[in-house]
């Protein structure tokens, strides 16, 4: 199994890509902690993992809270003894042009997507150092690489921040054998994109811009995250893994 003996924490793991990663990680031998605001959904993922013979834990976590992160990491280490892998996956989207964005809108998205990633990384590093190293995977977006008219400036800014924060942390902690990489998904069929996919016009417009001609599935991204979590990627740090059906290659 590709994650045998590892302990992983996944933020925003109650649904969407985070849930797919939690289930895949557990199938590959990891003990998994899920941190999310959505308790019912998170506990269901934990049950699914337990029913399949794996070990998992749900922790209620708001990723914008530093003390929340400290409690979440402590609960994970208390239950499973260490922390090897962190996936900073929790995120929220937004729409609108610069002139329409309020300071509150800006702060809300930057707080969850960018500050949440910083706080998760900060909380995980001491435990990973104790474990002799680790792998942190930060979920950015294809919109962290290029601009696009239909998203929002604060979403782009937050995901661009995740991209470059990843490289700074990768360089700072390479000597501790803590690897930090970012993942850049394109449009993926999750609850986050449900409204857009339900509207035939928006769906057609989106799919016509994806060279592979479809939305990605959560598992398409989870396989990439699994690779970065495993020792198979042991010479990768500060890298960007783009999983976008060719969207940014155009
Ligand atoms: P999703 O289905 O909306 O799942 C995200 C999860 O994060 C939800 O359970 C959400 O709970 C949770 N979350 C939000 N704010 C949180 C907070 N403050 N503290 C803890 N948990 C929080 O989204 P997804 O599509 O799987 O996206 C996962 C990641 O991929 C996000 O970072 C997203 O920006 C990124 N991404 C998505 C796409 C896409 O097309 N889907 C493309 C590129 C990148 P609530 O519902 O309570 O907010």
């Amino acid at each position: 199994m590709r994650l045998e003996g590892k302990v992983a924490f996944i933020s925003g793991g109650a649904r969407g890509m985070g849930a797919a990663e939690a289930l895949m990680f557990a199938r590959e031998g990891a003990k998994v902690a899920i941190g999310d605001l959505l308790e019912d959904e998170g506990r269901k993922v934990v049950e699914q993992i337990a029913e399949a013979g794996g070990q998992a834990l749900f922790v209620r976590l708001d990723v914008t809270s530093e003390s929340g992160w400290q409690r979440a990491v402590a609960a994970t280490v208390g239950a499973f003894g260490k922390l090897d892998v962190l996936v900073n996956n929790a995120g929220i989207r937004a729409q609108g042009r610069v002139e329409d964005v309020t300071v509150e809108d800006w702060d809300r998205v930057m707080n969850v997507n960018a500050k949440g990633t910083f706080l998760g990384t900060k909380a995980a590093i001491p435990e990973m150092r104790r474990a002799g190293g680790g792998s942190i995977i930060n979920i950015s977006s294809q919109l962290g690489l290029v601009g696009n008219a239909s998203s929002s400036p604060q979403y782009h800014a937050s995901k661009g921040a995740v991209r470059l924060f990843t490289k700074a942390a990768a360089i700072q902690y390479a000597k501790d054998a803590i690897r930090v990489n970012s993942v850049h998904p394109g449009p993926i069929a999750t609850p986050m994109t449900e409204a857009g996919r339900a509207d035939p016009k928006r769906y057609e417009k989106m799919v016509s811009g994806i060279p592979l001609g479809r939305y990605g599935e959560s598992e398409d991204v989870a396989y990439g995250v699994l690779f970065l979590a495993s020792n198979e990627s042991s010479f990768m740090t500060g890298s960007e893994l783009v999983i976008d059906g060719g969207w940014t290659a155009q």
Side-chain angles (χ1 to χ4, degrees), residues 10-21 34-39 41-42 59-65 69 88-93 108 111-113 116-117 138-144 155 158-159 162 183-194 197 206 215-216 218 221 243:
I10 303 175
S11 74
R15 68 179 201 189
M17 285 183 248
E21 288 150 16
I34 291 169
D36 205 301
L37 292 168
L38 299 176
E39 287 206 43
E41 285 91 335
V59 184
R60 194 182 184 286
L61 169 69
D62 178 346
V63 295
T64 65
S65 160
W69 267 112
N88 280 310
N89 164 77
I92 54 174
R93 69 195 295 250
R108 192 172 58 87
N111 278 342
V112 175
N113 297 358
T117 298
N138 294 329
I139 308 301
S140 174
S141 169
Q142 93 275 28
L143 304 180
Y155 189 78
S158 69
K159 293 300 189 179
V162 168
V183 172
H184 300 262
I188 308 295
T190 68
M192 182 179 273
T193 56
E194 209 169 328
R197 285 180 290 117
M206 182 60 85
Y215 271 75
S218 290
V221 177
I243 306 175

Side-chain angles (χ1 to χ4, degrees), residues 61-73 115-116 118-120 122-123:
L61 169 69
D62 178 346
V63 295
T64 65
S65 160
E66 183 160 25
S67 57
W69 267 112
Q70 283 159 357
R71 281 195 298 276
V73 168
K115 189 165 87 178
F118 151 63
L119 291 176
K122 186 179 175 189

Side-chain angles (χ1 to χ4, degrees), residues 39-123:
E39 287 206 43
D40 290 348
E41 285 91 335
R43 292 192 193 284
K44 275 188 200 130
V45 177
V46 166
E47 273 170 35
Q48 267 180 279
I49 290 173
E51 278 163 17
Q55 277 183 270
L57 166 79
F58 176 78
V59 184
R60 194 182 184 286
L61 169 69
D62 178 346
V63 295
T64 65
S65 160
E66 183 160 25
S67 57
W69 267 112
Q70 283 159 357
R71 281 195 298 276
V73 168
T76 306
V77 174
F80 299 138
K82 60 174 183 160
L83 181 64
D84 303 294
V85 176
L86 167 67
V87 186
N88 280 310
N89 164 77
I92 54 174
R93 69 195 295 250
Q95 277 169 322
R97 295 185 344 138
V98 173
E99 294 158 285
D100 307 320
V101 177
T102 64
V103 169
E104 290 73 26
D105 294 335
W106 176 272
D107 287 346
R108 192 172 58 87
V109 173
M110 291 298 284
N111 278 342
V112 175
N113 297 358
K115 189 165 87 178
T117 298
F118 151 63
L119 291 176
T121 303
K122 186 179 175 189

Side-chain angles (χ1 to χ4, degrees), residues 103-183:
V103 169
E104 290 73 26
D105 294 335
W106 176 272
D107 287 346
R108 192 172 58 87
V109 173
M110 291 298 284
N111 278 342
V112 175
N113 297 358
K115 189 165 87 178
T117 298
F118 151 63
L119 291 176
T121 303
K122 186 179 175 189
I125 282 169
E127 287 302 336
M128 289 188 173
R129 198 187 277 120
R130 239 189 296 283
S135 175
I136 299 175
I137 300 115
N138 294 329
I139 308 301
S140 174
S141 169
Q142 93 275 28
L143 304 180
L145 299 169
V146 295
N148 182 264
S150 63
S151 186
S152 70
Q154 70 272 36
Y155 189 78
H156 285 274
S158 69
K159 293 300 189 179
V162 168
R163 171 178 173 267
L164 220 49
F165 170 76
T166 297
K167 294 184 195 305
I171 302 304
Q172 289 190 345
Y173 294 95
K175 284 194 174 59
D176 295 300
I178 298 171
R179 301 184 295 109
V180 195
N181 293 287
S182 58
V183 172

